[in-house]
Each structure stands twice: as C-alpha cells, then as structure tokens.
mmCIF file with all atom_site columns, all heavy atoms in Angstrom:
data_model
loop_
_atom_site.group_PDB
_atom_site.id
_atom_site.type_symbol
_atom_site.label_atom_id
_atom_site.label_alt_id
_atom_site.label_comp_id
_atom_site.label_asym_id
_atom_site.label_entity_id
_atom_site.label_seq_id
_atom_site.pdbx_PDB_ins_code
_atom_site.Cartn_x
_atom_site.Cartn_y
_atom_site.Cartn_z
_atom_site.occupancy
_atom_site.B_iso_or_equiv
_atom_site.pdbx_formal_charge
_atom_site.auth_seq_id
_atom_site.auth_comp_id
_atom_site.auth_asym_id
_atom_site.auth_atom_id
_atom_site.pdbx_PDB_model_num
ATOM 1   N N   . THR A 1 1  ? 80.102  111.866 108.910 1.00 0.00 ? 672 THR A N   1
ATOM 2   C CA  . THR A 1 1  ? 81.296  111.619 109.706 1.00 0.00 ? 672 THR A CA  1
ATOM 3   C C   . THR A 1 1  ? 82.042  110.394 109.201 1.00 0.00 ? 672 THR A C   1
ATOM 4   O O   . THR A 1 1  ? 83.286  110.396 109.104 1.00 0.00 ? 672 THR A O   1
ATOM 5   C CB  . THR A 1 1  ? 80.915  111.425 111.187 1.00 0.00 ? 672 THR A CB  1
ATOM 6   O OG1 . THR A 1 1  ? 80.411  112.654 111.704 1.00 0.00 ? 672 THR A OG1 1
ATOM 7   C CG2 . THR A 1 1  ? 82.121  110.998 112.016 1.00 0.00 ? 672 THR A CG2 1
ATOM 8   N N   . PHE A 1 2  ? 81.308  109.332 108.867 1.00 0.00 ? 673 PHE A N   1
ATOM 9   C CA  . PHE A 1 2  ? 81.938  108.134 108.303 1.00 0.00 ? 673 PHE A CA  1
ATOM 10  C C   . PHE A 1 2  ? 82.691  108.471 107.026 1.00 0.00 ? 673 PHE A C   1
ATOM 11  O O   . PHE A 1 2  ? 83.833  108.043 106.826 1.00 0.00 ? 673 PHE A O   1
ATOM 12  C CB  . PHE A 1 2  ? 80.887  107.071 107.996 1.00 0.00 ? 673 PHE A CB  1
ATOM 13  C CG  . PHE A 1 2  ? 80.189  106.503 109.199 1.00 0.00 ? 673 PHE A CG  1
ATOM 14  C CD1 . PHE A 1 2  ? 78.970  105.863 109.062 1.00 0.00 ? 673 PHE A CD1 1
ATOM 15  C CD2 . PHE A 1 2  ? 80.741  106.610 110.465 1.00 0.00 ? 673 PHE A CD2 1
ATOM 16  C CE1 . PHE A 1 2  ? 78.320  105.322 110.163 1.00 0.00 ? 673 PHE A CE1 1
ATOM 17  C CE2 . PHE A 1 2  ? 80.099  106.085 111.581 1.00 0.00 ? 673 PHE A CE2 1
ATOM 18  C CZ  . PHE A 1 2  ? 78.884  105.430 111.422 1.00 0.00 ? 673 PHE A CZ  1
ATOM 19  N N   . PHE A 1 3  ? 82.048  109.243 106.158 1.00 0.00 ? 674 PHE A N   1
ATOM 20  C CA  . PHE A 1 3  ? 82.662  109.556 104.866 1.00 0.00 ? 674 PHE A CA  1
ATOM 21  C C   . PHE A 1 3  ? 83.877  110.463 105.029 1.00 0.00 ? 674 PHE A C   1
ATOM 22  O O   . PHE A 1 3  ? 84.863  110.338 104.287 1.00 0.00 ? 674 PHE A O   1
ATOM 23  C CB  . PHE A 1 3  ? 81.634  110.210 103.937 1.00 0.00 ? 674 PHE A CB  1
ATOM 24  C CG  . PHE A 1 3  ? 80.393  109.386 103.721 1.00 0.00 ? 674 PHE A CG  1
ATOM 25  C CD1 . PHE A 1 3  ? 79.198  109.982 103.316 1.00 0.00 ? 674 PHE A CD1 1
ATOM 26  C CD2 . PHE A 1 3  ? 80.410  108.017 103.922 1.00 0.00 ? 674 PHE A CD2 1
ATOM 27  C CE1 . PHE A 1 3  ? 78.068  109.220 103.123 1.00 0.00 ? 674 PHE A CE1 1
ATOM 28  C CE2 . PHE A 1 3  ? 79.276  107.242 103.731 1.00 0.00 ? 674 PHE A CE2 1
ATOM 29  C CZ  . PHE A 1 3  ? 78.093  107.848 103.333 1.00 0.00 ? 674 PHE A CZ  1
ATOM 30  N N   . LEU A 1 4  ? 83.812  111.382 106.008 1.00 0.00 ? 675 LEU A N   1
ATOM 31  C CA  . LEU A 1 4  ? 84.957  112.252 106.274 1.00 0.00 ? 675 LEU A CA  1
ATOM 32  C C   . LEU A 1 4  ? 86.188  111.443 106.670 1.00 0.00 ? 675 LEU A C   1
ATOM 33  O O   . LEU A 1 4  ? 87.324  111.831 106.383 1.00 0.00 ? 675 LEU A O   1
ATOM 34  C CB  . LEU A 1 4  ? 84.627  113.217 107.415 1.00 0.00 ? 675 LEU A CB  1
ATOM 35  C CG  . LEU A 1 4  ? 83.900  114.512 107.089 1.00 0.00 ? 675 LEU A CG  1
ATOM 36  C CD1 . LEU A 1 4  ? 83.696  115.324 108.362 1.00 0.00 ? 675 LEU A CD1 1
ATOM 37  C CD2 . LEU A 1 4  ? 84.656  115.324 106.063 1.00 0.00 ? 675 LEU A CD2 1
ATOM 38  N N   . ALA A 1 5  ? 85.945  110.309 107.307 1.00 0.00 ? 676 ALA A N   1
ATOM 39  C CA  . ALA A 1 5  ? 87.062  109.502 107.795 1.00 0.00 ? 676 ALA A CA  1
ATOM 40  C C   . ALA A 1 5  ? 87.900  108.942 106.652 1.00 0.00 ? 676 ALA A C   1
ATOM 41  O O   . ALA A 1 5  ? 89.094  108.678 106.838 1.00 0.00 ? 676 ALA A O   1
ATOM 42  C CB  . ALA A 1 5  ? 86.537  108.351 108.653 1.00 0.00 ? 676 ALA A CB  1
ATOM 43  N N   . ILE A 1 6  ? 87.298  108.755 105.488 1.00 0.00 ? 677 ILE A N   1
ATOM 44  C CA  . ILE A 1 6  ? 88.021  108.105 104.392 1.00 0.00 ? 677 ILE A CA  1
ATOM 45  C C   . ILE A 1 6  ? 89.249  108.910 103.970 1.00 0.00 ? 677 ILE A C   1
ATOM 46  O O   . ILE A 1 6  ? 90.381  108.404 104.052 1.00 0.00 ? 677 ILE A O   1
ATOM 47  C CB  . ILE A 1 6  ? 87.085  107.842 103.195 1.00 0.00 ? 677 ILE A CB  1
ATOM 48  C CG1 . ILE A 1 6  ? 85.952  106.894 103.615 1.00 0.00 ? 677 ILE A CG1 1
ATOM 49  C CG2 . ILE A 1 6  ? 87.865  107.248 102.017 1.00 0.00 ? 677 ILE A CG2 1
ATOM 50  C CD1 . ILE A 1 6  ? 84.874  106.708 102.557 1.00 0.00 ? 677 ILE A CD1 1
ATOM 51  N N   . PRO A 1 7  ? 89.108  110.173 103.524 1.00 0.00 ? 678 PRO A N   1
ATOM 52  C CA  . PRO A 1 7  ? 90.322  110.917 103.143 1.00 0.00 ? 678 PRO A CA  1
ATOM 53  C C   . PRO A 1 7  ? 91.200  111.275 104.330 1.00 0.00 ? 678 PRO A C   1
ATOM 54  O O   . PRO A 1 7  ? 92.430  111.311 104.207 1.00 0.00 ? 678 PRO A O   1
ATOM 55  C CB  . PRO A 1 7  ? 89.765  112.174 102.459 1.00 0.00 ? 678 PRO A CB  1
ATOM 56  C CG  . PRO A 1 7  ? 88.382  112.339 103.009 1.00 0.00 ? 678 PRO A CG  1
ATOM 57  C CD  . PRO A 1 7  ? 87.875  110.950 103.243 1.00 0.00 ? 678 PRO A CD  1
ATOM 58  N N   . VAL A 1 8  ? 90.576  111.538 105.499 1.00 0.00 ? 679 VAL A N   1
ATOM 59  C CA  . VAL A 1 8  ? 91.365  111.923 106.676 1.00 0.00 ? 679 VAL A CA  1
ATOM 60  C C   . VAL A 1 8  ? 92.304  110.794 107.092 1.00 0.00 ? 679 VAL A C   1
ATOM 61  O O   . VAL A 1 8  ? 93.507  110.995 107.293 1.00 0.00 ? 679 VAL A O   1
ATOM 62  C CB  . VAL A 1 8  ? 90.436  112.305 107.852 1.00 0.00 ? 679 VAL A CB  1
ATOM 63  C CG1 . VAL A 1 8  ? 91.242  112.452 109.149 1.00 0.00 ? 679 VAL A CG1 1
ATOM 64  C CG2 . VAL A 1 8  ? 89.717  113.611 107.552 1.00 0.00 ? 679 VAL A CG2 1
ATOM 65  N N   . MET A 1 9  ? 91.754  109.591 107.215 1.00 0.00 ? 680 MET A N   1
ATOM 66  C CA  . MET A 1 9  ? 92.565  108.461 107.661 1.00 0.00 ? 680 MET A CA  1
ATOM 67  C C   . MET A 1 9  ? 93.539  107.990 106.583 1.00 0.00 ? 680 MET A C   1
ATOM 68  O O   . MET A 1 9  ? 94.647  107.550 106.885 1.00 0.00 ? 680 MET A O   1
ATOM 69  C CB  . MET A 1 9  ? 91.671  107.316 108.103 1.00 0.00 ? 680 MET A CB  1
ATOM 70  C CG  . MET A 1 9  ? 90.917  107.570 109.394 1.00 0.00 ? 680 MET A CG  1
ATOM 71  S SD  . MET A 1 9  ? 92.034  107.854 110.802 1.00 0.00 ? 680 MET A SD  1
ATOM 72  C CE  . MET A 1 9  ? 92.023  109.643 110.927 1.00 0.00 ? 680 MET A CE  1
ATOM 73  N N   . LEU A 1 10 ? 93.126  108.071 105.321 1.00 0.00 ? 681 LEU A N   1
ATOM 74  C CA  . LEU A 1 10 ? 94.054  107.732 104.243 1.00 0.00 ? 681 LEU A CA  1
ATOM 75  C C   . LEU A 1 10 ? 95.254  108.676 104.256 1.00 0.00 ? 681 LEU A C   1
ATOM 76  O O   . LEU A 1 10 ? 96.404  108.244 104.144 1.00 0.00 ? 681 LEU A O   1
ATOM 77  C CB  . LEU A 1 10 ? 93.345  107.794 102.887 1.00 0.00 ? 681 LEU A CB  1
ATOM 78  C CG  . LEU A 1 10 ? 92.438  106.614 102.523 1.00 0.00 ? 681 LEU A CG  1
ATOM 79  C CD1 . LEU A 1 10 ? 91.720  106.891 101.215 1.00 0.00 ? 681 LEU A CD1 1
ATOM 80  C CD2 . LEU A 1 10 ? 93.246  105.315 102.420 1.00 0.00 ? 681 LEU A CD2 1
ATOM 81  N N   . GLY A 1 11 ? 94.973  109.965 104.407 1.00 0.00 ? 682 GLY A N   1
ATOM 82  C CA  . GLY A 1 11 ? 96.047  110.953 104.439 1.00 0.00 ? 682 GLY A CA  1
ATOM 83  C C   . GLY A 1 11 ? 96.950  110.783 105.641 1.00 0.00 ? 682 GLY A C   1
ATOM 84  O O   . GLY A 1 11 ? 98.182  110.812 105.518 1.00 0.00 ? 682 GLY A O   1
ATOM 85  N N   . ALA A 1 12 ? 96.342  110.603 106.822 1.00 0.00 ? 683 ALA A N   1
ATOM 86  C CA  . ALA A 1 12 ? 97.129  110.439 108.042 1.00 0.00 ? 683 ALA A CA  1
ATOM 87  C C   . ALA A 1 12 ? 97.982  109.177 107.971 1.00 0.00 ? 683 ALA A C   1
ATOM 88  O O   . ALA A 1 12 ? 99.152  109.174 108.369 1.00 0.00 ? 683 ALA A O   1
ATOM 89  C CB  . ALA A 1 12 ? 96.201  110.384 109.256 1.00 0.00 ? 683 ALA A CB  1
ATOM 90  N N   . SER A 1 13 ? 97.405  108.095 107.438 1.00 0.00 ? 684 SER A N   1
ATOM 91  C CA  . SER A 1 13 ? 98.138  106.835 107.326 1.00 0.00 ? 684 SER A CA  1
ATOM 92  C C   . SER A 1 13 ? 99.305  106.958 106.353 1.00 0.00 ? 684 SER A C   1
ATOM 93  O O   . SER A 1 13 ? 100.403 106.443 106.604 1.00 0.00 ? 684 SER A O   1
ATOM 94  C CB  . SER A 1 13 ? 97.199  105.710 106.877 1.00 0.00 ? 684 SER A CB  1
ATOM 95  O OG  . SER A 1 13 ? 96.188  105.492 107.833 1.00 0.00 ? 684 SER A OG  1
ATOM 96  N N   . LEU A 1 14 ? 99.073  107.642 105.237 1.00 0.00 ? 685 LEU A N   1
ATOM 97  C CA  . LEU A 1 14 ? 100.133 107.837 104.255 1.00 0.00 ? 685 LEU A CA  1
ATOM 98  C C   . LEU A 1 14 ? 101.300 108.603 104.862 1.00 0.00 ? 685 LEU A C   1
ATOM 99  O O   . LEU A 1 14 ? 102.470 108.243 104.666 1.00 0.00 ? 685 LEU A O   1
ATOM 100 C CB  . LEU A 1 14 ? 99.589  108.577 103.027 1.00 0.00 ? 685 LEU A CB  1
ATOM 101 C CG  . LEU A 1 14 ? 100.601 108.875 101.913 1.00 0.00 ? 685 LEU A CG  1
ATOM 102 C CD1 . LEU A 1 14 ? 101.172 107.573 101.364 1.00 0.00 ? 685 LEU A CD1 1
ATOM 103 C CD2 . LEU A 1 14 ? 99.943  109.684 100.794 1.00 0.00 ? 685 LEU A CD2 1
ATOM 104 N N   . LEU A 1 15 ? 100.986 109.655 105.632 1.00 0.00 ? 686 LEU A N   1
ATOM 105 C CA  . LEU A 1 15 ? 102.043 110.442 106.271 1.00 0.00 ? 686 LEU A CA  1
ATOM 106 C C   . LEU A 1 15 ? 102.854 109.583 107.242 1.00 0.00 ? 686 LEU A C   1
ATOM 107 O O   . LEU A 1 15 ? 104.085 109.672 107.286 1.00 0.00 ? 686 LEU A O   1
ATOM 108 C CB  . LEU A 1 15 ? 101.431 111.638 107.013 1.00 0.00 ? 686 LEU A CB  1
ATOM 109 C CG  . LEU A 1 15 ? 100.897 112.786 106.152 1.00 0.00 ? 686 LEU A CG  1
ATOM 110 C CD1 . LEU A 1 15 ? 100.208 113.831 107.024 1.00 0.00 ? 686 LEU A CD1 1
ATOM 111 C CD2 . LEU A 1 15 ? 102.018 113.429 105.342 1.00 0.00 ? 686 LEU A CD2 1
ATOM 112 N N   . LYS A 1 16 ? 102.156 108.738 108.016 1.00 0.00 ? 687 LYS A N   1
ATOM 113 C CA  . LYS A 1 16 ? 102.850 107.893 108.990 1.00 0.00 ? 687 LYS A CA  1
ATOM 114 C C   . LYS A 1 16 ? 103.714 106.844 108.299 1.00 0.00 ? 687 LYS A C   1
ATOM 115 O O   . LYS A 1 16 ? 104.833 106.558 108.748 1.00 0.00 ? 687 LYS A O   1
ATOM 116 C CB  . LYS A 1 16 ? 101.832 107.213 109.908 1.00 0.00 ? 687 LYS A CB  1
ATOM 117 C CG  . LYS A 1 16 ? 101.108 108.160 110.852 1.00 0.00 ? 687 LYS A CG  1
ATOM 118 C CD  . LYS A 1 16 ? 102.073 108.827 111.814 1.00 0.00 ? 687 LYS A CD  1
ATOM 119 C CE  . LYS A 1 16 ? 101.341 109.728 112.787 1.00 0.00 ? 687 LYS A CE  1
ATOM 120 N NZ  . LYS A 1 16 ? 102.273 110.445 113.704 1.00 0.00 ? 687 LYS A NZ  1
ATOM 121 N N   . ILE A 1 17 ? 103.198 106.256 107.208 1.00 0.00 ? 688 ILE A N   1
ATOM 122 C CA  . ILE A 1 17 ? 103.961 105.236 106.493 1.00 0.00 ? 688 ILE A CA  1
ATOM 123 C C   . ILE A 1 17 ? 105.194 105.849 105.837 1.00 0.00 ? 688 ILE A C   1
ATOM 124 O O   . ILE A 1 17 ? 106.289 105.273 105.871 1.00 0.00 ? 688 ILE A O   1
ATOM 125 C CB  . ILE A 1 17 ? 103.079 104.534 105.440 1.00 0.00 ? 688 ILE A CB  1
ATOM 126 C CG1 . ILE A 1 17 ? 102.024 103.669 106.140 1.00 0.00 ? 688 ILE A CG1 1
ATOM 127 C CG2 . ILE A 1 17 ? 103.922 103.665 104.513 1.00 0.00 ? 688 ILE A CG2 1
ATOM 128 C CD1 . ILE A 1 17 ? 101.007 103.055 105.204 1.00 0.00 ? 688 ILE A CD1 1
ATOM 129 N N   . VAL A 1 18 ? 105.028 107.030 105.253 1.00 0.00 ? 689 VAL A N   1
ATOM 130 C CA  . VAL A 1 18 ? 106.171 107.723 104.636 1.00 0.00 ? 689 VAL A CA  1
ATOM 131 C C   . VAL A 1 18 ? 107.220 108.046 105.691 1.00 0.00 ? 689 VAL A C   1
ATOM 132 O O   . VAL A 1 18 ? 108.426 107.870 105.478 1.00 0.00 ? 689 VAL A O   1
ATOM 133 C CB  . VAL A 1 18 ? 105.696 109.009 103.925 1.00 0.00 ? 689 VAL A CB  1
ATOM 134 C CG1 . VAL A 1 18 ? 106.899 109.871 103.525 1.00 0.00 ? 689 VAL A CG1 1
ATOM 135 C CG2 . VAL A 1 18 ? 104.865 108.662 102.696 1.00 0.00 ? 689 VAL A CG2 1
ATOM 136 N N   . LYS A 1 19 ? 106.754 108.505 106.849 1.00 0.00 ? 690 LYS A N   1
ATOM 137 C CA  . LYS A 1 19 ? 107.675 108.847 107.933 1.00 0.00 ? 690 LYS A CA  1
ATOM 138 C C   . LYS A 1 19 ? 108.396 107.608 108.446 1.00 0.00 ? 690 LYS A C   1
ATOM 139 O O   . LYS A 1 19 ? 109.610 107.634 108.713 1.00 0.00 ? 690 LYS A O   1
ATOM 140 C CB  . LYS A 1 19 ? 106.907 109.513 109.076 1.00 0.00 ? 690 LYS A CB  1
ATOM 141 C CG  . LYS A 1 19 ? 107.771 109.900 110.260 1.00 0.00 ? 690 LYS A CG  1
ATOM 142 C CD  . LYS A 1 19 ? 106.949 110.554 111.359 1.00 0.00 ? 690 LYS A CD  1
ATOM 143 C CE  . LYS A 1 19 ? 107.807 110.882 112.578 1.00 0.00 ? 690 LYS A CE  1
ATOM 144 N NZ  . LYS A 1 19 ? 107.004 111.491 113.664 1.00 0.00 ? 690 LYS A NZ  1
ATOM 145 N N   . PHE A 1 20 ? 107.667 106.486 108.575 1.00 0.00 ? 691 PHE A N   1
ATOM 146 C CA  . PHE A 1 20 ? 108.260 105.248 109.090 1.00 0.00 ? 691 PHE A CA  1
ATOM 147 C C   . PHE A 1 20 ? 109.119 104.568 108.039 1.00 0.00 ? 691 PHE A C   1
ATOM 148 O O   . PHE A 1 20 ? 110.139 103.954 108.349 1.00 0.00 ? 691 PHE A O   1
ATOM 149 C CB  . PHE A 1 20 ? 107.150 104.297 109.546 1.00 0.00 ? 691 PHE A CB  1
ATOM 150 C CG  . PHE A 1 20 ? 107.666 103.003 110.140 1.00 0.00 ? 691 PHE A CG  1
ATOM 151 C CD1 . PHE A 1 20 ? 108.141 102.975 111.444 1.00 0.00 ? 691 PHE A CD1 1
ATOM 152 C CD2 . PHE A 1 20 ? 107.666 101.831 109.390 1.00 0.00 ? 691 PHE A CD2 1
ATOM 153 C CE1 . PHE A 1 20 ? 108.619 101.783 111.991 1.00 0.00 ? 691 PHE A CE1 1
ATOM 154 C CE2 . PHE A 1 20 ? 108.140 100.642 109.931 1.00 0.00 ? 691 PHE A CE2 1
ATOM 155 C CZ  . PHE A 1 20 ? 108.617 100.620 111.235 1.00 0.00 ? 691 PHE A CZ  1
ATOM 156 N N   . GLY A 1 21 ? 108.700 104.672 106.779 1.00 0.00 ? 692 GLY A N   1
ATOM 157 C CA  . GLY A 1 21 ? 109.386 103.974 105.700 1.00 0.00 ? 692 GLY A CA  1
ATOM 158 C C   . GLY A 1 21 ? 108.844 102.560 105.545 1.00 0.00 ? 692 GLY A C   1
ATOM 159 O O   . GLY A 1 21 ? 107.903 102.153 106.229 1.00 0.00 ? 692 GLY A O   1
ATOM 160 N N   . LEU A 1 22 ? 109.438 101.805 104.647 1.00 0.00 ? 693 LEU A N   1
ATOM 161 C CA  . LEU A 1 22 ? 108.990 100.424 104.417 1.00 0.00 ? 693 LEU A CA  1
ATOM 162 C C   . LEU A 1 22 ? 109.957 99.423  105.052 1.00 0.00 ? 693 LEU A C   1
ATOM 163 O O   . LEU A 1 22 ? 110.222 98.362  104.503 1.00 0.00 ? 693 LEU A O   1
ATOM 164 C CB  . LEU A 1 22 ? 108.858 100.170 102.910 1.00 0.00 ? 693 LEU A CB  1
ATOM 165 C CG  . LEU A 1 22 ? 107.830 101.049 102.184 1.00 0.00 ? 693 LEU A CG  1
ATOM 166 C CD1 . LEU A 1 22 ? 107.845 100.768 100.695 1.00 0.00 ? 693 LEU A CD1 1
ATOM 167 C CD2 . LEU A 1 22 ? 106.429 100.825 102.759 1.00 0.00 ? 693 LEU A CD2 1
ATOM 168 N N   . ARG A 1 23 ? 110.419 99.771  106.230 1.00 0.00 ? 694 ARG A N   1
ATOM 169 C CA  . ARG A 1 23 ? 111.417 98.954  106.917 1.00 0.00 ? 694 ARG A CA  1
ATOM 170 C C   . ARG A 1 23 ? 110.744 97.949  107.860 1.00 0.00 ? 694 ARG A C   1
ATOM 171 O O   . ARG A 1 23 ? 111.179 97.753  108.990 1.00 0.00 ? 694 ARG A O   1
ATOM 172 C CB  . ARG A 1 23 ? 112.362 99.851  107.710 1.00 0.00 ? 694 ARG A CB  1
ATOM 173 C CG  . ARG A 1 23 ? 112.972 100.993 106.917 1.00 0.00 ? 694 ARG A CG  1
ATOM 174 C CD  . ARG A 1 23 ? 113.928 101.826 107.766 1.00 0.00 ? 694 ARG A CD  1
ATOM 175 N NE  . ARG A 1 23 ? 113.293 102.316 108.994 1.00 0.00 ? 694 ARG A NE  1
ATOM 176 C CZ  . ARG A 1 23 ? 112.634 103.445 109.072 1.00 0.00 ? 694 ARG A CZ  1
ATOM 177 N NH1 . ARG A 1 23 ? 112.483 104.207 107.990 1.00 0.00 ? 694 ARG A NH1 1
ATOM 178 N NH2 . ARG A 1 23 ? 112.096 103.833 110.209 1.00 0.00 ? 694 ARG A NH2 1
ATOM 179 N N   . PHE A 1 24 ? 109.672 97.312  107.406 1.00 0.00 ? 695 PHE A N   1
ATOM 180 C CA  . PHE A 1 24 ? 108.943 96.385  108.260 1.00 0.00 ? 695 PHE A CA  1
ATOM 181 C C   . PHE A 1 24 ? 109.700 95.073  108.432 1.00 0.00 ? 695 PHE A C   1
ATOM 182 O O   . PHE A 1 24 ? 110.186 94.488  107.455 1.00 0.00 ? 695 PHE A O   1
ATOM 183 C CB  . PHE A 1 24 ? 107.566 96.071  107.659 1.00 0.00 ? 695 PHE A CB  1
ATOM 184 C CG  . PHE A 1 24 ? 106.646 97.247  107.585 1.00 0.00 ? 695 PHE A CG  1
ATOM 185 C CD1 . PHE A 1 24 ? 106.472 97.935  106.393 1.00 0.00 ? 695 PHE A CD1 1
ATOM 186 C CD2 . PHE A 1 24 ? 105.960 97.664  108.712 1.00 0.00 ? 695 PHE A CD2 1
ATOM 187 C CE1 . PHE A 1 24 ? 105.609 99.014  106.322 1.00 0.00 ? 695 PHE A CE1 1
ATOM 188 C CE2 . PHE A 1 24 ? 105.103 98.745  108.654 1.00 0.00 ? 695 PHE A CE2 1
ATOM 189 C CZ  . PHE A 1 24 ? 104.917 99.423  107.456 1.00 0.00 ? 695 PHE A CZ  1
ATOM 190 N N   . THR A 1 25 ? 109.765 94.609  109.662 1.00 0.00 ? 696 THR A N   1
ATOM 191 C CA  . THR A 1 25 ? 110.207 93.241  109.886 1.00 0.00 ? 696 THR A CA  1
ATOM 192 C C   . THR A 1 25 ? 109.020 92.315  109.607 1.00 0.00 ? 696 THR A C   1
ATOM 193 O O   . THR A 1 25 ? 107.884 92.772  109.453 1.00 0.00 ? 696 THR A O   1
ATOM 194 C CB  . THR A 1 25 ? 110.672 93.028  111.335 1.00 0.00 ? 696 THR A CB  1
ATOM 195 O OG1 . THR A 1 25 ? 109.547 93.196  112.209 1.00 0.00 ? 696 THR A OG1 1
ATOM 196 C CG2 . THR A 1 25 ? 111.760 94.027  111.706 1.00 0.00 ? 696 THR A CG2 1
ATOM 197 N N   . THR A 1 26 ? 109.266 91.019  109.547 1.00 0.00 ? 697 THR A N   1
ATOM 198 C CA  . THR A 1 26 ? 108.180 90.070  109.295 1.00 0.00 ? 697 THR A CA  1
ATOM 199 C C   . THR A 1 26 ? 107.121 90.154  110.386 1.00 0.00 ? 697 THR A C   1
ATOM 200 O O   . THR A 1 26 ? 105.912 90.161  110.104 1.00 0.00 ? 697 THR A O   1
ATOM 201 C CB  . THR A 1 26 ? 108.725 88.631  109.217 1.00 0.00 ? 697 THR A CB  1
ATOM 202 O OG1 . THR A 1 26 ? 109.724 88.570  108.197 1.00 0.00 ? 697 THR A OG1 1
ATOM 203 C CG2 . THR A 1 26 ? 107.618 87.640  108.912 1.00 0.00 ? 697 THR A CG2 1
ATOM 204 N N   . ILE A 1 27 ? 107.556 90.246  111.641 1.00 0.00 ? 698 ILE A N   1
ATOM 205 C CA  . ILE A 1 27 ? 106.609 90.340  112.762 1.00 0.00 ? 698 ILE A CA  1
ATOM 206 C C   . ILE A 1 27 ? 105.819 91.639  112.683 1.00 0.00 ? 698 ILE A C   1
ATOM 207 O O   . ILE A 1 27 ? 104.593 91.654  112.891 1.00 0.00 ? 698 ILE A O   1
ATOM 208 C CB  . ILE A 1 27 ? 107.351 90.246  114.114 1.00 0.00 ? 698 ILE A CB  1
ATOM 209 C CG1 . ILE A 1 27 ? 107.931 88.848  114.292 1.00 0.00 ? 698 ILE A CG1 1
ATOM 210 C CG2 . ILE A 1 27 ? 106.408 90.584  115.265 1.00 0.00 ? 698 ILE A CG2 1
ATOM 211 C CD1 . ILE A 1 27 ? 106.875 87.758  114.373 1.00 0.00 ? 698 ILE A CD1 1
#
C-alpha cells in the first residue's frame, strides 16, 4: 500500500498542479 501511493500521489499531484498552474503567490 505504501509503494502504491508513490505513483498514485505523484500522478494526482501533477494533475492538480497542471490544472492550477504555476501562479503561486509568495504566501
């Protein structure tokens, strides 16, 4: 289960970051 989390969370995080973009404020 721990090992499954690696690609699952990497993939999910990548999708969210792409959707959000790199428009981060400093905060």
Side-chain angles (χ1 to χ4, degrees):
T672 293
F673 294 160
F674 304 157
L675 275 181
I677 298 173
V679 169
M680 290 299 100
L681 283 175
S684 297
L685 179 61
L686 287 175
K687 291 297 182 183
I688 290 174
V689 169
K690 180 180 177 181
F691 182 79
L693 298 177
R694 309 181 306 271
F695 295 100
T696 65
T697 303
I698 292 296

